[in-house]
Amino acid sequence: DQQVKQNSPSLSVQEGRISILNCDYTNSMFDYFLWYKKYPAEGPTFLISISSIKDKNEDGRFTVFLNKSAKHLSLHIVPSQPGDSAVYFCAAREVDSWGKLQFGAGTQVVVTP
Amino acid sequence: EAGVTQSPTHLIKTRGQQATLRCSPISGHTSVYWYQQALGLGLQFLLWYDEGEERNRGNFPPRFSGRQFPNYSSELNVNALELEDSALYLCASSLGPGAGQETQYFGPGTRLLVL
């Protein structure tokens, strides 16, 4: 039962443009969400997180938006850079369930010149 | 500051054997997590250890087990290996539950191949 879904397996975007990655979830008990980036042969790298009490969190080029009523979050990367080419994972944690993150299947982002 | 380290980077075993994977957390982190990433799939939560105790477990059979040592490093043991255990095993660490900061930081992983 996949409770965190990333329905776009891949995304191609031009350098300098905005990348928008989407993530949907089905579990209303999720209260903390994270985005990770993963390069081949490396472990995931933490990017940004958001608590369910917020609807937006920004860190440099990365902004995460949370729409609780739609059970949807998105990651915006502006402007996209060649080094952003990687697999991006959305993850979520249930309230009072510290430690157990549930991950989506990932979205492969390719930033083209 | 050193990140999460894992050893070995690659491990080849045959069906029925046992595999032992090791993880050293970031200095100051007391929680260690193990995840499995099979080919083409997302990360699946395996185990969480904190202060030497198992705190949570994912939907994996008992032949997946582990422990955490007094220095907070951790070991994942997979007994009676099956072909479908072939995967990338990722370890992550974080501050403990009482710290209010639960971001998990990942190591590079151990790629296990079962023949």
Side-chain angles (χ1 to χ4, degrees):
Chain A
D1 177 29
Q2 189 75 7
Q3 298 185 29
V4 179
K5 299 176 184 179
Q6 294 176 255
N7 293 318
S8 298
S10 64
L11 172 70
S12 183
V13 63
Q14 262 190 323
E15 183 177 358
R17 299 289 184 107
I18 182 171
S19 295
I20 300 177
L21 291 84
N22 294 303
C23 178
D24 296 296
Y25 61 95
T26 58
N27 188 342
S28 58
M29 298 300 288
F30 287 148
D31 71 337
Y32 187 64
F33 305 88
L34 308 90
W35 283 95
Y36 284 86
K37 175 172 77 172
K38 187 179 184 299
Y39 294 118
E42 294 183 13
T45 301
F46 169 72
L47 278 176
I48 192 168
S49 62
I50 187 166
S51 165
S52 60
I53 62 173
K54 296 185 175 182
D55 55 18
K56 177 183 174 181
N57 190 26
E58 195 171 348
D59 185 1
R61 297 186 299 116
F62 302 94
T63 303
V64 56
F65 296 92
L66 175 62
N67 183 333
K68 290 184 288 293
S69 60
K71 293 191 176 69
H72 176 84
L73 65 156
S74 61
L75 174 68
H76 292 209
I77 307 173
V78 184
S80 299
Q81 299 174 353
D84 295 332
S85 296
V87 178
Y88 289 77
F89 292 98
C90 168
R93 187 213 66 175
E94 270 188 42
V95 63
D96 295 332
S97 184
W98 179 290
K100 182 179 178 179
L101 293 180
Q102 296 191 43
F103 283 80
T107 297
Q108 171 77 59
V109 172
V110 176
V111 179
T112 58
Chain B
E1 179 184 298
V4 177
T5 59
Q6 292 185 245
S7 63
T9 54
H10 293 81
L11 190 56
I12 300 175
K13 294 284 186 179
T14 56
R15 283 177 58 192
Q17 284 189 313
Q18 178 193 28
T20 298
L21 288 65
R22 296 179 177 84
C23 171
S24 291
I26 291 171
S27 177
H29 287 185
T30 63
S31 280
V32 171
Y33 314 83
W34 288 96
Y35 291 85
Q36 181 198 66
Q37 186 183 20
L39 193 63
L41 298 179
L43 284 73
Q44 301 295 317
F45 172 78
L46 264 167
L47 290 159
W48 166 37
Y49 291 95
D50 183 72
E51 297 286 358
E53 293 190 15
E54 182 180 304
R55 303 288 185 154
N56 205 344
R57 183 180 183 86
N59 295 327
F60 282 84
R63 56 190 187 83
F64 287 84
S65 65
R67 54 180 171 164
Q68 186 178 34
F69 299 99
N71 66 354
Y72 303 114
S73 67
S74 177
E75 215 171 67
L76 174 69
N77 294 294
V78 188
N79 294 318
L81 284 165
E82 300 178 2
L83 296 178
E84 52 264 33
D85 296 334
S86 296
L88 179 68
Y89 289 84
L90 290 158
C91 173
S93 75
S94 78
L95 296 172
Q101 170 53 268
E102 55 191 301
T103 301
Q104 297 181 20
Y105 297 89
F106 284 83
T110 292
R111 188 161 293 282
L112 172 63
L113 177 61
V114 183
L115 302 174

